[in-house]
Amino acid sequence: MTRAQRIRGLLALAIVALSLYVAMSVPVHLGLDLRGGTQIVLETRPTAADDAGPDTVDRTVEVLRGRVDALGVAEPTIVRSGSDRIVVELPGVQDPAEAAEVLGRTARLSFHHVLGTAPDATATTAPDATEAAAGPLPGHSRPPVLPDESGQLLRLDTAVLTGKDVEKAAARFDAQSGAGWHVTVEFKDAGRDRWAALTGEAACRPTGDPARRVAIVLDDRIVSSPQVDPSVRCGAGIGGGSTQINGAFDDGEARELALLVNGGALPVPVETVEERTVGPTLGARAITASVWAAAVGSTLTALFVIAVYRLLGALAAVALLCYGLISYAALAALGATLTLPGLAGFVLAIGMAVDANVLVFERAREEYAAHHRPTPRSALAAGFRNALSAIADSNITTLIAAGLLFLLASGPVRGFGVTLGIGVLASMVSALVITRALADLAVSRPGLRRRPHLTGIAHTGAVRDRLARGNPRLMRHPRRWLAASAAALVLAGAGIALRGLDFGIEFTGGRQVEYATATPVDPDRARAALADAGFPHAVVQTSGENRLTVRTGQLTTAQANAVGAAVGDLTSRADELRDETIGPSLGKELRRGALIALAVALGAQLVYLAVRFRLLLGTAAVAALAHDVVILVGVFAWLGKPVDGVFLAALLTVIGYSVNDSVVVFDRLRELTRHADKERETPFRDIAGRALQQTLPRTVNTGTGAALILTALAGFGGDSLTDFALALLIGLAVGTYSSMFTATPLAVVLQERRR
């Protein structure tokens, strides 16, 4: 064993050991679609230019964290998203309206001296000389005339104390005095003196005078305005630095008020732009289904690879298990969130990761067949050497797309960029380090040198043998292939134009509720029932036998209850599995961000491919990608399937798969055109046909491995993954076709036209 082989072996062992340690010690953060709970996206709304900026958002996050902690939610997540958004995940919380109400309250608490009553709602109070000179307290403008607990309008002086002067607040119940639930407030530092001064001034007014009252205001609403007790002396005020807020509270209202006071005021108002609620049973079912799909699909793929490549196939199967371990450990170490699309993409990536191994093994077979009985060791070394450029180029183009999706997109598209990048890097480590270390160790054994047929690379393979016997001239008529692609594009475009696209609420905004019903519900009956309930434009879809999804515009709580009641009348039981609300501004931003990220990613891939393969080949590869996108979207338009975040993740996966295929073909085309002078005299279409023929075994074997995984995903993945698996199966077929019979013929036509 050479020094380089020993280093690779030690490196592979270290990577696997570290990944195993991380996987066992660091749990992966599951998204709420897998563990159940509520996700709320808040957007800050600064009222002044000084309030805008990252510091304000950071302070808002801290206040929200205090409120969430007081709610008692286990393992909450509160993170910034972009420049002005905050994502709050509350596992186990199934009432998004109540959570959003607590989180979104500005909670501006202030204490005022009552100046008197106001005759009507239009009455105002002018600032006195002191206020005109000094201005109001920071962050608090002069309050308007406000109604007290009984509805009487009161004129208030400027705020003397704010929530910043409060030490703590607590909800208490006083059964002896009959006061019931109230909130005690204790002031700190200078707030104690201000409270004494405020109550001392009010005590100088006669009993019954409105000016003897002190108003406690929360978010421009008087929650309590008691008169100062007659026992308090004028000018002395209430000592001890504490008071209590009486507002005829029940226990929930008192605790919520104490929570808001303790959490502090938000620096700026916030608006809820998205709410998602997922039942824990749906997440558990999705995890179980994905685990079954991963187990069955991985087993089928491993058996296929072993059947084709024998011993080296078995080692590749071991490397694929290591790939899964590395990917999982990377997700855990980076603190990435594993969502339902990410989990399905992770399952698919196991099938995609076999591609680099297939590339190496096919090049090793070519090397073994091209020379007179070389050793398996030398053939394998040549296979790794000759396949390196194709592996590097295909993975770098995918990494470029993943990086741009992470930087430019948001929401599920950005999360997919993280998962995609981790998968690509783990795949390269699995193939170039672990597989090679295992293969080097195996082929150096004396027994295999005497029995090279056991390695799986000492023959050309069934697909290559059949192609050699038939010797098809695949690029004899390139324009016929392009005509077939054009026809498919016209058909897909017709579906988009005639049927339109059913965008999910991620891109349109609105509310979507998914129910599990006791019996199958006819969608036409559901539409009629919802129309009678006042929702004639509701979109109703069924999935599986007992799943019903209702999508509408923005709904109030009462309207949402009416939708649930209408669905409940159609069956004996309707359990809410998922409830999502997205504001229209967020939907437009997600749609715009996804399109921009996709366009920039395609442009960056074109630039890279143009540098590596010439502009002509880069243009052909990117045109094939656009071809795949249009056809897949068109098929979903014809089928009436929703174009949502899950579909977008599938579309991005298809793009990555398609560009890999095109890069492999063009890498062989570049190699053939560089060989000998006689190759330069050969027509370009013949060289392209030979490149296509030589890479076809790899395309067939890689596609079969991916198809086995997707078949398992479609069969065992459950209703939540059916559309995802369908999109990937369609994209796999379209991407495989386009890399061979769209990108390559287009390159031939462009080359001949240029000449």
Side-chain angles (χ1 to χ4, degrees):
M1 182 177 292
T2 65
R3 183 172 180 269
Q5 290 173 336
R6 287 196 297 270
I7 293 176
R8 274 195 296 269
L10 291 174
L11 180 60
L13 184 61
I15 291 173
V16 173
L18 179 61
S19 300
L20 184 61
Y21 171 76
V22 173
M24 295 180 64
S25 58
V26 182
V28 168
H29 179 66
L30 297 179
L32 290 185
D33 52 359
L34 295 179
R35 57 177 172 166
T38 295
Q39 181 189 70
I40 301 173
V41 179
L42 303 170
E43 186 172 81
T44 58
R45 302 289 188 180
T47 56
D50 294 340
D51 292 334
D55 292 341
T56 301
V57 180
D58 289 339
R59 293 198 307 271
T60 305
V61 168
E62 293 305 315
V63 173
L64 291 175
R65 183 168 287 115
R67 294 185 183 181
V68 170
D69 290 342
L71 283 173
V73 178
E75 298 182 358
T77 302
I78 307 174
V79 295
R80 285 185 54 178
S81 176
S83 60
D84 59 354
R85 288 209 176 99
I86 301 168
V87 179
V88 182
E89 292 187 352
L90 307 173
V93 175
Q94 299 297 315
D95 189 348
E98 180 181 353
E101 169 67 17
V102 173
L103 295 177
R105 292 279 294 274
T106 310
R108 292 189 182 278
L109 183 69
S110 54
F111 299 79
H112 306 256
H113 180 214
V114 176
L115 299 176
T117 58
D120 55 60
T122 60
T124 59
T125 55
D128 56 24
T130 304
E131 180 186 348
L137 289 175
H140 287 262
S141 59
R142 185 184 186 90
V145 171
L146 297 175
D148 64 7
E149 306 90 310
S150 63
Q152 183 182 30
L153 295 176
L154 300 180
R155 292 186 298 111
L156 306 180
D157 202 348
T158 54
V160 178
L161 298 99
T162 68
K164 296 180 180 179
D165 298 308
V166 175
E167 177 71 30
K168 64 179 180 179
R172 302 187 184 281
F173 182 77
D174 187 355
Q176 293 182 349
S177 65
W181 282 97
H182 61 273
V183 177
T184 61
V185 177
E186 295 183 11
F187 299 101
K188 60 182 178 181
D189 303 330
R192 299 172 180 266
D193 298 332
R194 292 175 182 169
W195 175 246
L198 174 62
T199 54
E201 180 182 355
C204 296
R205 304 286 183 170
T207 302
D209 188 341
R212 193 179 176 88
R213 300 167 67 182
V214 173
I216 304 173
V217 179
L218 179 69
D219 288 346
D220 296 329
R221 180 174 69 90
I222 296 179
V223 295
S224 183
S225 57
Q227 283 212 8
V228 175
D229 191 89
S231 63
V232 178
R233 291 185 293 110
C234 174
I238 300 176
S242 64
T243 186
Q244 71 179 38
I245 302 175
N246 300 304
F249 304 123
D250 58 27
D251 59 340
E253 293 171 335
R255 289 192 176 97
E256 179 181 323
L257 177 57
L259 183 156
L260 292 170
V261 172
N262 286 324
L266 293 176
V268 291
V270 296
E271 178 182 338
T272 301
V273 295
E274 178 183 355
E275 293 177 11
R276 295 178 187 269
T277 299
V278 180
T281 56
L282 179 62
R285 195 178 301 127
I287 293 177
T288 303
S290 298
V291 169
W292 271 104
V296 174
S298 300
T299 302
L300 292 175
T301 302
L303 292 176
F304 170 75
V305 172
I306 293 172
V308 175
Y309 297 108
R310 302 181 185 177
L311 176 62
L312 290 181
L315 299 179
V318 174
L320 287 180
L321 293 177
C322 296
Y323 160 80
L325 175 63
I326 294 170
S327 299
Y328 181 88
L331 285 171
L334 294 176
T337 299
L338 185 60
T339 61
L340 186 58
L343 181 61
F346 180 76
V347 173
L348 171 67
I350 298 174
M352 298 282 286
V354 78
D355 181 47
N357 294 303
V358 171
L359 271 172
V360 171
F361 297 159
E362 288 298 327
R363 293 308 294 257
R365 282 180 170 181
E366 292 178 14
E367 184 71 17
Y368 196 92
H371 297 79
H372 295 290
R373 299 182 65 81
T375 64
R377 183 174 178 179
S378 63
L380 185 64
F384 275 102
R385 183 173 60 252
N386 295 333
L388 182 60
S389 62
I391 294 174
D393 286 329
S394 60
N395 284 288
I396 289 174
T397 53
T398 309
L399 281 175
I400 290 173
L404 290 173
L405 291 175
F406 176 77
L407 293 174
L408 300 178
S410 58
V413 182
R414 187 177 191 186
F416 180 82
V418 175
T419 306
L420 180 62
I422 291 175
V424 169
L425 294 175
S427 174
M428 293 182 68
V429 171
S430 168
L432 299 180
V433 179
I434 297 177
T435 300
R436 183 158 191 184
L438 294 174
D440 284 341
L441 182 63
V443 298
S444 62
R445 300 297 93 188
L448 282 182
R449 287 201 292 268
R450 292 192 299 268
R451 302 177 183 85
H453 63 282
L454 296 178
T455 62
I457 60 174
H459 57 89
T460 55
V463 177
R464 195 180 304 277
D465 289 343
R466 187 168 299 177
L467 289 172
R469 288 194 300 268
N471 192 25
R473 295 184 60 189
L474 297 174
M475 287 295 106
R476 179 184 299 177
H477 303 292
R479 284 180 172 80
R480 293 183 182 177
W481 295 116
L482 292 180
S485 298
L489 283 174
V490 170
L491 185 61
I496 298 173
L498 298 177
R499 296 291 299 267
L501 297 180
D502 181 17
F503 285 106
I505 63 168
E506 291 99 330
F507 305 121
T508 61
R511 189 157 183 170
Q512 177 172 298
V513 185
E514 183 178 0
Y515 300 93
T517 57
T519 56
V521 175
D522 181 69
D524 292 331
R525 283 188 59 213
R527 293 186 189 98
L530 289 169
D532 293 340
F535 307 98
H537 302 295
V539 178
V540 179
Q541 292 177 321
T542 57
S543 58
E545 293 185 355
N546 301 325
R547 294 287 183 86
L548 183 73
T549 301
V550 179
R551 190 166 75 247
T552 67
Q554 301 293 334
L555 298 177
T556 64
T557 301
Q559 290 173 326
N561 293 335
V563 169
V567 173
D569 292 339
L570 301 174
T571 180
S572 60
R573 192 185 78 252
D575 297 327
E576 187 178 292
L577 296 178
R578 184 191 304 268
D579 187 349
E580 301 181 3
T581 302
I582 294 183
S585 61
L586 181 60
K588 292 179 181 178
E589 179 178 323
L590 287 173
R591 185 169 66 246
R592 183 177 63 251
L595 292 175
I596 292 175
L598 184 59
V600 174
L602 291 177
Q605 288 180 329
L606 173 60
V607 171
Y608 178 81
L609 294 174
V611 172
R612 292 288 292 158
F613 296 103
R614 293 184 305 166
L615 180 61
L616 181 145
L617 297 182
T619 302
V622 174
L625 294 185
H627 163 276
D628 299 343
V629 170
V630 173
I631 290 181
L632 182 54
V633 173
V635 170
F636 260 54
W638 279 116
L639 296 176
K641 296 289 186 178
V643 177
D644 52 13
V646 173
F647 171 80
L648 190 57
L651 181 64
L652 295 169
T653 303
V654 169
I655 290 175
Y657 180 85
S658 180
V659 74
N660 282 1
D661 264 4
S662 299
V663 165
V664 170
V665 176
F666 289 164
D667 180 78
R668 185 61 62 91
L669 180 59
R670 177 179 57 186
E671 180 181 328
L672 292 178
T673 56
R674 288 176 178 174
H675 263 191
D677 291 341
K678 63 178 182 180
E679 294 286 6
R680 297 193 182 97
E681 298 170 0
T682 304
F684 184 78
R685 66 173 59 190
D686 291 344
I687 300 176
R690 193 182 311 166
L692 196 58
Q693 183 175 330
Q694 292 178 2
T695 56
L696 195 56
R698 168 263 166 198
T699 302
V700 171
N701 291 337
T702 299
T704 303
L708 290 173
I709 284 285
L710 291 178
T711 302
L713 194 62
F716 296 94
D719 296 334
S720 56
L721 297 177
T722 300
D723 288 347
F724 185 86
L726 175 64
L728 288 174
L729 280 170
I730 296 171
L732 176 66
V734 173
T736 301
Y737 171 87
S738 70
S739 63
M740 297 187 294
F741 302 122
T742 301
T744 306
L746 182 58
V748 170
V749 171
L750 292 176
Q751 173 73 8
E752 293 179 348
R753 179 170 295 180
R754 189 181 71 172
R755 286 187 173 181

mmCIF file with all atom_site columns, all heavy atoms in Angstrom, residues 460-475:
data_model
loop_
_atom_site.group_PDB
_atom_site.id
_atom_site.type_symbol
_atom_site.label_atom_id
_atom_site.label_alt_id
_atom_site.label_comp_id
_atom_site.label_asym_id
_atom_site.label_entity_id
_atom_site.label_seq_id
_atom_site.pdbx_PDB_ins_code
_atom_site.Cartn_x
_atom_site.Cartn_y
_atom_site.Cartn_z
_atom_site.occupancy
_atom_site.B_iso_or_equiv
_atom_site.pdbx_formal_charge
_atom_site.auth_seq_id
_atom_site.auth_comp_id
_atom_site.auth_asym_id
_atom_site.auth_atom_id
_atom_site.pdbx_PDB_model_num
ATOM 1   N N   . THR A 1 460 ? -16.785 -5.138 -19.835 1.00 0.00 ? 460 THR A N   1
ATOM 2   C CA  . THR A 1 460 ? -17.333 -3.864 -20.314 1.00 0.00 ? 460 THR A CA  1
ATOM 3   C C   . THR A 1 460 ? -18.760 -3.618 -19.859 1.00 0.00 ? 460 THR A C   1
ATOM 4   O O   . THR A 1 460 ? -19.217 -2.476 -19.839 1.00 0.00 ? 460 THR A O   1
ATOM 5   C CB  . THR A 1 460 ? -17.283 -3.815 -21.848 1.00 0.00 ? 460 THR A CB  1
ATOM 6   O OG1 . THR A 1 460 ? -17.954 -4.969 -22.372 1.00 0.00 ? 460 THR A OG1 1
ATOM 7   C CG2 . THR A 1 460 ? -15.843 -3.791 -22.336 1.00 0.00 ? 460 THR A CG2 1
ATOM 8   N N   . GLY A 1 461 ? -19.513 -4.663 -19.523 1.00 0.00 ? 461 GLY A N   1
ATOM 9   C CA  . GLY A 1 461 ? -20.880 -4.475 -19.083 1.00 0.00 ? 461 GLY A CA  1
ATOM 10  C C   . GLY A 1 461 ? -21.888 -4.717 -20.187 1.00 0.00 ? 461 GLY A C   1
ATOM 11  O O   . GLY A 1 461 ? -21.601 -4.553 -21.378 1.00 0.00 ? 461 GLY A O   1
ATOM 12  N N   . ALA A 1 462 ? -23.106 -5.103 -19.801 1.00 0.00 ? 462 ALA A N   1
ATOM 13  C CA  . ALA A 1 462 ? -24.121 -5.495 -20.777 1.00 0.00 ? 462 ALA A CA  1
ATOM 14  C C   . ALA A 1 462 ? -24.541 -4.329 -21.663 1.00 0.00 ? 462 ALA A C   1
ATOM 15  O O   . ALA A 1 462 ? -24.705 -4.482 -22.884 1.00 0.00 ? 462 ALA A O   1
ATOM 16  C CB  . ALA A 1 462 ? -25.337 -6.073 -20.039 1.00 0.00 ? 462 ALA A CB  1
ATOM 17  N N   . VAL A 1 463 ? -24.732 -3.149 -21.091 1.00 0.00 ? 463 VAL A N   1
ATOM 18  C CA  . VAL A 1 463 ? -25.184 -1.999 -21.882 1.00 0.00 ? 463 VAL A CA  1
ATOM 19  C C   . VAL A 1 463 ? -24.135 -1.608 -22.904 1.00 0.00 ? 463 VAL A C   1
ATOM 20  O O   . VAL A 1 463 ? -24.435 -1.377 -24.088 1.00 0.00 ? 463 VAL A O   1
ATOM 21  C CB  . VAL A 1 463 ? -25.514 -0.813 -20.953 1.00 0.00 ? 463 VAL A CB  1
ATOM 22  C CG1 . VAL A 1 463 ? -25.912 0.407  -21.774 1.00 0.00 ? 463 VAL A CG1 1
ATOM 23  C CG2 . VAL A 1 463 ? -26.626 -1.181 -19.985 1.00 0.00 ? 463 VAL A CG2 1
ATOM 24  N N   . ARG A 1 464 ? -22.880 -1.550 -22.500 1.00 0.00 ? 464 ARG A N   1
ATOM 25  C CA  . ARG A 1 464 ? -21.810 -1.163 -23.415 1.00 0.00 ? 464 ARG A CA  1
ATOM 26  C C   . ARG A 1 464 ? -21.636 -2.220 -24.528 1.00 0.00 ? 464 ARG A C   1
ATOM 27  O O   . ARG A 1 464 ? -21.394 -1.882 -25.679 1.00 0.00 ? 464 ARG A O   1
ATOM 28  C CB  . ARG A 1 464 ? -20.507 -0.963 -22.654 1.00 0.00 ? 464 ARG A CB  1
ATOM 29  C CG  . ARG A 1 464 ? -19.442 -0.216 -23.438 1.00 0.00 ? 464 ARG A CG  1
ATOM 30  C CD  . ARG A 1 464 ? -18.173 -0.052 -22.604 1.00 0.00 ? 464 ARG A CD  1
ATOM 31  N NE  . ARG A 1 464 ? -18.464 0.609  -21.338 1.00 0.00 ? 464 ARG A NE  1
ATOM 32  C CZ  . ARG A 1 464 ? -18.550 1.927  -21.201 1.00 0.00 ? 464 ARG A CZ  1
ATOM 33  N NH1 . ARG A 1 464 ? -18.373 2.705  -22.242 1.00 0.00 ? 464 ARG A NH1 1
ATOM 34  N NH2 . ARG A 1 464 ? -18.822 2.445  -20.023 1.00 0.00 ? 464 ARG A NH2 1
ATOM 35  N N   . ASP A 1 465 ? -21.753 -3.499 -24.169 1.00 0.00 ? 465 ASP A N   1
ATOM 36  C CA  . ASP A 1 465 ? -21.628 -4.551 -25.177 1.00 0.00 ? 465 ASP A CA  1
ATOM 37  C C   . ASP A 1 465 ? -22.734 -4.449 -26.221 1.00 0.00 ? 465 ASP A C   1
ATOM 38  O O   . ASP A 1 465 ? -22.490 -4.604 -27.425 1.00 0.00 ? 465 ASP A O   1
ATOM 39  C CB  . ASP A 1 465 ? -21.675 -5.929 -24.504 1.00 0.00 ? 465 ASP A CB  1
ATOM 40  C CG  . ASP A 1 465 ? -20.422 -6.214 -23.697 1.00 0.00 ? 465 ASP A CG  1
ATOM 41  O OD1 . ASP A 1 465 ? -19.409 -5.518 -23.921 1.00 0.00 ? 465 ASP A OD1 1
ATOM 42  O OD2 . ASP A 1 465 ? -20.472 -7.109 -22.823 1.00 0.00 ? 465 ASP A OD2 1
ATOM 43  N N   . ARG A 1 466 ? -23.942 -4.188 -25.779 1.00 0.00 ? 466 ARG A N   1
ATOM 44  C CA  . ARG A 1 466 ? -25.052 -4.078 -26.721 1.00 0.00 ? 466 ARG A CA  1
ATOM 45  C C   . ARG A 1 466 ? -24.878 -2.866 -27.633 1.00 0.00 ? 466 ARG A C   1
ATOM 46  O O   . ARG A 1 466 ? -25.171 -2.939 -28.833 1.00 0.00 ? 466 ARG A O   1
ATOM 47  C CB  . ARG A 1 466 ? -26.359 -3.985 -25.941 1.00 0.00 ? 466 ARG A CB  1
ATOM 48  C CG  . ARG A 1 466 ? -27.613 -4.040 -26.807 1.00 0.00 ? 466 ARG A CG  1
ATOM 49  C CD  . ARG A 1 466 ? -28.848 -4.226 -25.951 1.00 0.00 ? 466 ARG A CD  1
ATOM 50  N NE  . ARG A 1 466 ? -28.775 -5.486 -25.208 1.00 0.00 ? 466 ARG A NE  1
ATOM 51  C CZ  . ARG A 1 466 ? -29.697 -5.874 -24.333 1.00 0.00 ? 466 ARG A CZ  1
ATOM 52  N NH1 . ARG A 1 466 ? -30.743 -5.084 -24.069 1.00 0.00 ? 466 ARG A NH1 1
ATOM 53  N NH2 . ARG A 1 466 ? -29.584 -7.018 -23.689 1.00 0.00 ? 466 ARG A NH2 1
ATOM 54  N N   . LEU A 1 467 ? -24.405 -1.771 -27.087 1.00 0.00 ? 467 LEU A N   1
ATOM 55  C CA  . LEU A 1 467 ? -24.158 -0.594 -27.920 1.00 0.00 ? 467 LEU A CA  1
ATOM 56  C C   . LEU A 1 467 ? -23.038 -0.851 -28.919 1.00 0.00 ? 467 LEU A C   1
ATOM 57  O O   . LEU A 1 467 ? -23.093 -0.388 -30.067 1.00 0.00 ? 467 LEU A O   1
ATOM 58  C CB  . LEU A 1 467 ? -23.808 0.607  -27.032 1.00 0.00 ? 467 LEU A CB  1
ATOM 59  C CG  . LEU A 1 467 ? -24.949 1.197  -26.194 1.00 0.00 ? 467 LEU A CG  1
ATOM 60  C CD1 . LEU A 1 467 ? -24.414 2.236  -25.227 1.00 0.00 ? 467 LEU A CD1 1
ATOM 61  C CD2 . LEU A 1 467 ? -26.008 1.824  -27.097 1.00 0.00 ? 467 LEU A CD2 1
ATOM 62  N N   . ALA A 1 468 ? -22.012 -1.576 -28.483 1.00 0.00 ? 468 ALA A N   1
ATOM 63  C CA  . ALA A 1 468 ? -20.899 -1.863 -29.391 1.00 0.00 ? 468 ALA A CA  1
ATOM 64  C C   . ALA A 1 468 ? -21.346 -2.749 -30.545 1.00 0.00 ? 468 ALA A C   1
ATOM 65  O O   . ALA A 1 468 ? -20.906 -2.566 -31.690 1.00 0.00 ? 468 ALA A O   1
ATOM 66  C CB  . ALA A 1 468 ? -19.760 -2.521 -28.621 1.00 0.00 ? 468 ALA A CB  1
ATOM 67  N N   . ARG A 1 469 ? -22.245 -3.703 -30.268 1.00 0.00 ? 469 ARG A N   1
ATOM 68  C CA  . ARG A 1 469 ? -22.720 -4.578 -31.336 1.00 0.00 ? 469 ARG A CA  1
ATOM 69  C C   . ARG A 1 469 ? -23.619 -3.825 -32.303 1.00 0.00 ? 469 ARG A C   1
ATOM 70  O O   . ARG A 1 469 ? -23.532 -3.998 -33.518 1.00 0.00 ? 469 ARG A O   1
ATOM 71  C CB  . ARG A 1 469 ? -23.479 -5.762 -30.741 1.00 0.00 ? 469 ARG A CB  1
ATOM 72  C CG  . ARG A 1 469 ? -22.593 -6.779 -30.032 1.00 0.00 ? 469 ARG A CG  1
ATOM 73  C CD  . ARG A 1 469 ? -23.360 -8.071 -29.766 1.00 0.00 ? 469 ARG A CD  1
ATOM 74  N NE  . ARG A 1 469 ? -24.528 -7.842 -28.919 1.00 0.00 ? 469 ARG A NE  1
ATOM 75  C CZ  . ARG A 1 469 ? -24.493 -7.952 -27.590 1.00 0.00 ? 469 ARG A CZ  1
ATOM 76  N NH1 . ARG A 1 469 ? -23.355 -8.266 -26.974 1.00 0.00 ? 469 ARG A NH1 1
ATOM 77  N NH2 . ARG A 1 469 ? -25.584 -7.752 -26.890 1.00 0.00 ? 469 ARG A NH2 1
ATOM 78  N N   . GLY A 1 470 ? -24.488 -2.976 -31.792 1.00 0.00 ? 470 GLY A N   1
ATOM 79  C CA  . GLY A 1 470 ? -25.389 -2.250 -32.674 1.00 0.00 ? 470 GLY A CA  1
ATOM 80  C C   . GLY A 1 470 ? -24.780 -1.029 -33.316 1.00 0.00 ? 470 GLY A C   1
ATOM 81  O O   . GLY A 1 470 ? -25.177 -0.627 -34.413 1.00 0.00 ? 470 GLY A O   1
ATOM 82  N N   . ASN A 1 471 ? -23.820 -0.398 -32.630 1.00 0.00 ? 471 ASN A N   1
ATOM 83  C CA  . ASN A 1 471 ? -23.142 0.812  -33.098 1.00 0.00 ? 471 ASN A CA  1
ATOM 84  C C   . ASN A 1 471 ? -24.131 1.843  -33.649 1.00 0.00 ? 471 ASN A C   1
ATOM 85  O O   . ASN A 1 471 ? -24.067 2.235  -34.817 1.00 0.00 ? 471 ASN A O   1
ATOM 86  C CB  . ASN A 1 471 ? -22.096 0.470  -34.159 1.00 0.00 ? 471 ASN A CB  1
ATOM 87  C CG  . ASN A 1 471 ? -21.182 1.661  -34.426 1.00 0.00 ? 471 ASN A CG  1
ATOM 88  O OD1 . ASN A 1 471 ? -21.008 2.535  -33.585 1.00 0.00 ? 471 ASN A OD1 1
ATOM 89  N ND2 . ASN A 1 471 ? -20.607 1.709  -35.622 1.00 0.00 ? 471 ASN A ND2 1
ATOM 90  N N   . PRO A 1 472 ? -25.071 2.281  -32.828 1.00 0.00 ? 472 PRO A N   1
ATOM 91  C CA  . PRO A 1 472 ? -26.055 3.252  -33.330 1.00 0.00 ? 472 PRO A CA  1
ATOM 92  C C   . PRO A 1 472 ? -25.421 4.635  -33.513 1.00 0.00 ? 472 PRO A C   1
ATOM 93  O O   . PRO A 1 472 ? -24.616 5.076  -32.692 1.00 0.00 ? 472 PRO A O   1
ATOM 94  C CB  . PRO A 1 472 ? -27.107 3.279  -32.226 1.00 0.00 ? 472 PRO A CB  1
ATOM 95  C CG  . PRO A 1 472 ? -26.334 2.951  -30.987 1.00 0.00 ? 472 PRO A CG  1
ATOM 96  C CD  . PRO A 1 472 ? -25.273 1.974  -31.403 1.00 0.00 ? 472 PRO A CD  1
ATOM 97  N N   . ARG A 1 473 ? -25.772 5.305  -34.586 1.00 0.00 ? 473 ARG A N   1
ATOM 98  C CA  . ARG A 1 473 ? -25.298 6.678  -34.817 1.00 0.00 ? 473 ARG A CA  1
ATOM 99  C C   . ARG A 1 473 ? -26.367 7.617  -34.241 1.00 0.00 ? 473 ARG A C   1
ATOM 100 O O   . ARG A 1 473 ? -27.272 8.066  -34.933 1.00 0.00 ? 473 ARG A O   1
ATOM 101 C CB  . ARG A 1 473 ? -25.065 6.917  -36.293 1.00 0.00 ? 473 ARG A CB  1
ATOM 102 C CG  . ARG A 1 473 ? -23.949 6.059  -36.890 1.00 0.00 ? 473 ARG A CG  1
ATOM 103 C CD  . ARG A 1 473 ? -23.709 6.404  -38.335 1.00 0.00 ? 473 ARG A CD  1
ATOM 104 N NE  . ARG A 1 473 ? -23.319 7.803  -38.479 1.00 0.00 ? 473 ARG A NE  1
ATOM 105 C CZ  . ARG A 1 473 ? -23.208 8.420  -39.663 1.00 0.00 ? 473 ARG A CZ  1
ATOM 106 N NH1 . ARG A 1 473 ? -23.478 7.769  -40.778 1.00 0.00 ? 473 ARG A NH1 1
ATOM 107 N NH2 . ARG A 1 473 ? -22.855 9.684  -39.728 1.00 0.00 ? 473 ARG A NH2 1
ATOM 108 N N   . LEU A 1 474 ? -26.209 7.899  -32.962 1.00 0.00 ? 474 LEU A N   1
ATOM 109 C CA  . LEU A 1 474 ? -27.256 8.625  -32.238 1.00 0.00 ? 474 LEU A CA  1
ATOM 110 C C   . LEU A 1 474 ? -27.430 10.054 -32.726 1.00 0.00 ? 474 LEU A C   1
ATOM 111 O O   . LEU A 1 474 ? -28.515 10.624 -32.608 1.00 0.00 ? 474 LEU A O   1
ATOM 112 C CB  . LEU A 1 474 ? -26.940 8.602  -30.734 1.00 0.00 ? 474 LEU A CB  1
ATOM 113 C CG  . LEU A 1 474 ? -26.923 7.213  -30.090 1.00 0.00 ? 474 LEU A CG  1
ATOM 114 C CD1 . LEU A 1 474 ? -26.464 7.300  -28.644 1.00 0.00 ? 474 LEU A CD1 1
ATOM 115 C CD2 . LEU A 1 474 ? -28.294 6.557  -30.162 1.00 0.00 ? 474 LEU A CD2 1
ATOM 116 N N   . MET A 1 475 ? -26.377 10.636 -33.253 1.00 0.00 ? 475 MET A N   1
ATOM 117 C CA  . MET A 1 475 ? -26.438 12.021 -33.696 1.00 0.00 ? 475 MET A CA  1
ATOM 118 C C   . MET A 1 475 ? -26.462 12.139 -35.216 1.00 0.00 ? 475 MET A C   1
ATOM 119 O O   . MET A 1 475 ? -26.021 13.129 -35.782 1.00 0.00 ? 475 MET A O   1
ATOM 120 C CB  . MET A 1 475 ? -25.253 12.805 -33.130 1.00 0.00 ? 475 MET A CB  1
ATOM 121 C CG  . MET A 1 475 ? -25.353 13.102 -31.643 1.00 0.00 ? 475 MET A CG  1
ATOM 122 S SD  . MET A 1 475 ? -26.719 14.183 -31.194 1.00 0.00 ? 475 MET A SD  1
ATOM 123 C CE  . MET A 1 475 ? -27.840 13.016 -30.449 1.00 0.00 ? 475 MET A CE  1
#
